[in-house]
Amino acid sequence: MTIQVALAGAGAFGIKHLDGIRNIPDVKVVSVVGRELAKTQEVADKYGIAHVATDLADSLKIKAVDAVILCTPTQMHASQALACLDAGKHVQVEIPLCDRLADGEAVVRRQRDTGLVAMCGHTRRFNPSHQWVRRRIVAGAFHIQQMDVQTYFFRRTNMNALGQPRSWTDHLLWHHAAHTVDLFAWQAQSPIVQANALQGPIHPVLGIAMDMSIQLKAASGAICTLSLSFNNDGPLGTFFRYIGDTGTYIARYDDLFTGKDEKIDVSGVDVSMNGIELQDREFFAAIREGREPNASVAQVLPCYQVLHRLEQQLAAG
C-alpha cells in the first residue's frame, strides 16, 4: 500500500520533511498547503506534488489522503491536528503539539477516541546521536546524572531557518524547550518531578522573552540545566552534554562526540543519518503496523504538562 500524504506548511521545516519522504518507499505526497499560493506552487512543482491549496480543509476533503504532516505555525497545531483526526486522517504534528496544555489534552483525547495514529515531531528521539545514547541507557551501560543543554539562535525578527519572514512568533518555552524537556524525561526513563524557570526581558516588538533558563529534576535523581537564547551571536542550534556514570557524550543534532570531543560513529544506528527522515519513517511504520508510534501525542503530553507549570511559574514571577 502506498500511503498518500498531505503536507501543510511549505516553509523551511516542511521542505525538510519533503526531502526526507523522498527516501521512504511507498509514500507519496499528493497535496501541499501553504499560506501564499505562488510560493506553495513553486514547492509543489519542485517535488512533483499534484494538488496545491491555501486551506488545509481542501486537502482533508481528498479521500485518497491517508495521513497529514503539519508544519504550520505553532498556534495552529492543536486545532489542525483535531481537524485531521475528525476527517479520519492519521496526523503527525510538528513540535510543539500545542502552546496551551488544554489544547494538547484535547488532541490526546481525540486520538484515543478515533484510534488513529497521532504523533508529535519530537525529533531528538530519532536523531542517531540520541538513539546511540538511548541504547546504552536501555542496556544498563549508562545512567544519566546530568544533562547540560544550550539552545541558541540569533533571531530578533520573525524569520524562519531559510531567512524568510514568518507570519507568527516563535517561542523559547513552548517550542524550543519542548525538545529538551521531553528528551530528558525519555532518556532518564523517569518523570520530571521538579521544574524551575527564569526569563529575561520581554522584547518590545515580538512580545516574547529572548532569554530563558530552565532547571529540571527527574524522579531518578538526574538533573538538567537548559539555557535558551534568541540573542546569541555565535554557533547556532542545540547542543546536548550527557554526563553519566560511565562517560560523557556531546550530541550535536545527528552527530555524537565524547566529552573530549572525539567523534563517535553513529552511521550504523539506523537506516539514515537524517533525524527528520527517521521521524517520518516511524510515523508511516506505525500507520502500516496499526500501533502507537514513538513520540505519540500521549507519550509526549507529560512534556507539555511541565511547560504549563513553568509558564504559570513565570507568569507568577
Side-chain angles (χ1 to χ4, degrees), residues 125-146:
R125 292 187 180 211
F126 301 94
N127 293 120
S129 53
H130 298 294
Q131 282 200 58
W132 189 95
V133 175
R134 171 77 173 181
R135 290 181 184 183
R136 286 186 60 78
I137 292 169
V138 171
F142 180 72
H143 301 89
I144 295 173
Q145 295 170 327
Q146 181 175 177

Side-chain angles (χ1 to χ4, degrees), residues 198-244:
L198 294 171
Q199 66 183 10
I202 302 299
H203 191 280
V205 176
L206 298 178
I208 58 170
M210 302 293 281
D211 292 275
M212 193 171 291
S213 175
I214 294 174
Q215 292 177 305
L216 306 169
K217 185 174 183 177
S220 66
I223 61 173
C224 175
T225 302
L226 169 61
S227 172
L228 308 105
S229 181
F230 283 143
N231 280 318
N232 178 63
D233 190 7
L236 307 180
T238 303
F239 313 103
F240 301 82
R241 180 182 291 269
Y242 289 94
I243 300 172

